[in-house]
mmCIF file of all heavy atoms in Angstrom:
data_model
loop_
_atom_site.group_PDB
_atom_site.id
_atom_site.type_symbol
_atom_site.label_atom_id
_atom_site.label_comp_id
_atom_site.label_asym_id
_atom_site.label_seq_id
_atom_site.Cartn_x
_atom_site.Cartn_y
_atom_site.Cartn_z
ATOM 1 N N ARG A 35 -13.329 -5.210 -13.027
ATOM 2 C CA ARG A 35 -13.782 -6.506 -12.502
ATOM 3 C C ARG A 35 -14.892 -6.347 -11.470
ATOM 4 O O ARG A 35 -15.718 -7.237 -11.301
ATOM 5 C CB ARG A 35 -12.594 -7.265 -11.886
ATOM 6 C CG ARG A 35 -11.703 -7.934 -12.892
ATOM 7 C CD ARG A 35 -10.984 -9.114 -12.272
ATOM 8 N NE ARG A 35 -10.201 -8.735 -11.103
ATOM 9 C CZ ARG A 35 -9.790 -9.584 -10.175
ATOM 10 N NH1 ARG A 35 -10.117 -10.866 -10.264
ATOM 11 N NH2 ARG A 35 -9.072 -9.187 -9.167
ATOM 12 N N TRP A 36 -14.906 -5.201 -10.730
ATOM 13 C CA TRP A 36 -15.975 -4.997 -9.754
ATOM 14 C C TRP A 36 -17.314 -4.851 -10.458
ATOM 15 O O TRP A 36 -18.342 -5.338 -9.973
ATOM 16 C CB TRP A 36 -15.697 -3.781 -8.887
ATOM 17 C CG TRP A 36 -16.875 -3.381 -8.032
ATOM 18 C CD1 TRP A 36 -17.682 -2.292 -8.200
ATOM 19 C CD2 TRP A 36 -17.391 -4.082 -6.895
ATOM 20 N NE1 TRP A 36 -18.667 -2.263 -7.242
ATOM 21 C CE2 TRP A 36 -18.509 -3.357 -6.426
ATOM 22 C CE3 TRP A 36 -17.028 -5.246 -6.240
ATOM 23 C CZ2 TRP A 36 -19.264 -3.761 -5.323
ATOM 24 C CZ3 TRP A 36 -17.776 -5.646 -5.139
ATOM 25 C CH2 TRP A 36 -18.879 -4.914 -4.697
ATOM 26 N N GLN A 38 -18.194 -6.380 -12.964
ATOM 27 C CA GLN A 38 -18.597 -7.714 -13.413
ATOM 28 C C GLN A 38 -18.928 -8.632 -12.236
ATOM 29 O O GLN A 38 -20.018 -9.193 -12.165
ATOM 30 C CB GLN A 38 -17.459 -8.340 -14.234
ATOM 31 C CG GLN A 38 -17.118 -7.573 -15.492
ATOM 32 C CD GLN A 38 -15.862 -8.121 -16.155
ATOM 33 O OE1 GLN A 38 -14.929 -8.542 -15.486
ATOM 34 N NE2 GLN A 38 -15.850 -8.103 -17.475
ATOM 35 N N ARG A 39 -17.987 -8.769 -11.295
ATOM 36 C CA ARG A 39 -18.139 -9.760 -10.219
ATOM 37 C C ARG A 39 -19.042 -9.251 -9.092
ATOM 38 O O ARG A 39 -19.812 -9.992 -8.510
ATOM 39 C CB ARG A 39 -16.754 -10.132 -9.682
ATOM 40 C CG ARG A 39 -16.718 -11.319 -8.726
ATOM 41 C CD ARG A 39 -16.936 -12.642 -9.417
ATOM 42 N NE ARG A 39 -16.100 -12.859 -10.571
ATOM 43 C CZ ARG A 39 -14.856 -13.352 -10.540
ATOM 44 N NH1 ARG A 39 -14.297 -13.680 -9.392
ATOM 45 N NH2 ARG A 39 -14.181 -13.532 -11.662
ATOM 46 N N ARG A 40 -18.923 -8.017 -8.694
ATOM 47 C CA ARG A 40 -19.783 -7.379 -7.685
ATOM 48 C C ARG A 40 -19.888 -8.201 -6.394
ATOM 49 O O ARG A 40 -20.959 -8.455 -5.868
ATOM 50 C CB ARG A 40 -21.175 -7.112 -8.267
ATOM 51 C CG ARG A 40 -21.200 -6.026 -9.334
ATOM 52 C CD ARG A 40 -22.472 -6.078 -10.150
ATOM 53 N NE ARG A 40 -22.420 -7.151 -11.127
ATOM 54 C CZ ARG A 40 -23.461 -7.597 -11.815
ATOM 55 N NH1 ARG A 40 -24.651 -7.063 -11.610
ATOM 56 N NH2 ARG A 40 -23.332 -8.578 -12.680
ATOM 57 N N TYR A 41 -18.730 -8.582 -5.882
ATOM 58 C CA TYR A 41 -18.678 -9.475 -4.730
ATOM 59 C C TYR A 41 -17.414 -9.165 -3.940
ATOM 60 O O TYR A 41 -16.316 -9.121 -4.509
ATOM 61 C CB TYR A 41 -18.665 -10.918 -5.228
ATOM 62 C CG TYR A 41 -18.677 -11.997 -4.175
ATOM 63 C CD1 TYR A 41 -19.448 -11.891 -3.020
ATOM 64 C CD2 TYR A 41 -17.917 -13.152 -4.348
ATOM 65 C CE1 TYR A 41 -19.454 -12.912 -2.071
ATOM 66 C CE2 TYR A 41 -17.930 -14.179 -3.427
ATOM 67 C CZ TYR A 41 -18.701 -14.046 -2.279
ATOM 68 O OH TYR A 41 -18.706 -15.056 -1.347
ATOM 69 N N GLY A 122 -13.498 -16.001 -4.376
ATOM 70 C CA GLY A 122 -13.950 -15.501 -5.670
ATOM 71 C C GLY A 122 -14.268 -14.029 -5.669
ATOM 72 O O GLY A 122 -14.880 -13.513 -6.607
ATOM 73 N N TYR A 295 -25.517 -14.226 -3.078
ATOM 74 C CA TYR A 295 -24.785 -13.585 -4.172
ATOM 75 C C TYR A 295 -25.599 -13.586 -5.461
ATOM 76 O O TYR A 295 -25.731 -12.550 -6.132
ATOM 77 C CB TYR A 295 -23.449 -14.295 -4.378
ATOM 78 C CG TYR A 295 -22.644 -13.759 -5.532
ATOM 79 C CD1 TYR A 295 -22.409 -12.389 -5.677
ATOM 80 C CD2 TYR A 295 -22.113 -14.610 -6.489
ATOM 81 C CE1 TYR A 295 -21.673 -11.895 -6.742
ATOM 82 C CE2 TYR A 295 -21.378 -14.128 -7.557
ATOM 83 C CZ TYR A 295 -21.162 -12.767 -7.681
ATOM 84 O OH TYR A 295 -20.437 -12.280 -8.740
ATOM 85 N N ALA A 336 -17.695 -18.289 -12.956
ATOM 86 C CA ALA A 336 -17.456 -16.854 -13.130
ATOM 87 C C ALA A 336 -17.614 -16.411 -14.574
ATOM 88 O O ALA A 336 -18.036 -15.278 -14.844
ATOM 89 C CB ALA A 336 -16.061 -16.491 -12.622
ATOM 90 N N ASP A 340 -20.084 -13.318 -14.447
ATOM 91 C CA ASP A 340 -19.471 -12.017 -14.699
ATOM 92 C C ASP A 340 -20.099 -11.278 -15.877
ATOM 93 O O ASP A 340 -19.912 -10.066 -16.024
ATOM 94 C CB ASP A 340 -17.966 -12.167 -14.953
ATOM 95 C CG ASP A 340 -17.199 -12.495 -13.681
ATOM 96 O OD1 ASP A 340 -17.827 -12.575 -12.615
ATOM 97 O OD2 ASP A 340 -15.969 -12.671 -13.761
#
Side-chain angles (χ1 to χ4, degrees):
R35 281 206 303 160
W36 170 252
Q38 298 172 324
R39 190 73 50 85
R40 291 163 283 167
Y41 183 40
Y295 177 50
D340 287 358

